[in-house]
Amino acid sequence: MERLLALGSVVKVQMRGGGVQRLMIAGYFPKDKKTGRSYDYAAVPYPYGMRDMPVIRTFNRLQILETEHQGYLDATAAIFTMPLAWEGARGKAGLTP
């Protein structure tokens, strides 16, 4: 089982539709309100952040090509990011907005 990457981690991601983008992880298990589809991560473009709206990108762990930087992980975050059954974690109370 895998551990979730910490908030603030910077990754290179293979985007749907082609292209590679550098993103900073900002959240977990976002859900697309239009399609109902869930993703593993929500992120913002790195190094630009949230200068324009909407800039939130969603992606799944299998799209990550490289982890360039690990975000800050204190004891509370370490417990939250402990290995999870990825598919089982999606949609459970407390893990989705």
Side-chain angles (χ1 to χ4, degrees), residues 52-67:
D52 296 318
M53 296 302 270
V55 296
I56 299 297
R57 306 288 190 261
T58 55
F59 62 95
N60 291 311
R61 71 188 186 287
L62 297 177
Q63 292 174 256
I64 297 173
L65 301 173
E66 178 183 349
T67 301

Side-chain angles (χ1 to χ4, degrees), residues 29-51:
F29 306 112
K31 187 173 184 178
D32 185 316
K33 291 179 182 177
K34 292 180 185 175
T35 66
R37 184 172 177 189
S38 295
Y39 298 91
D40 295 330
Y41 294 103
V44 295
Y46 182 85
Y48 310 107
M50 294 186 67
R51 67 180 186 177

Side-chain angles (χ1 to χ4, degrees), residues 28-31 94-97:
Y28 305 112
F29 306 112
K31 187 173 184 178
L95 292 179
T96 57

Side-chain angles (χ1 to χ4, degrees), residues 2 5-6 9 14 30 33-34 48 54 62-63 68-69 71 77 83 85 87:
E2 297 179 52
L5 292 170
S9 294
Q14 180 69 51
K33 291 179 182 177
K34 292 180 185 175
Y48 310 107
L62 297 177
Q63 292 174 256
E68 294 186 346
H69 172 77
E87 296 305 317

Side-chain angles (χ1 to χ4, degrees), residues 68-88:
E68 294 186 346
H69 172 77
Q70 290 281 341
Y72 177 68
L73 194 67
D74 67 6
T76 302
I79 291 169
F80 181 79
T81 62
M82 289 174 98
L84 297 172
W86 284 86
E87 296 305 317

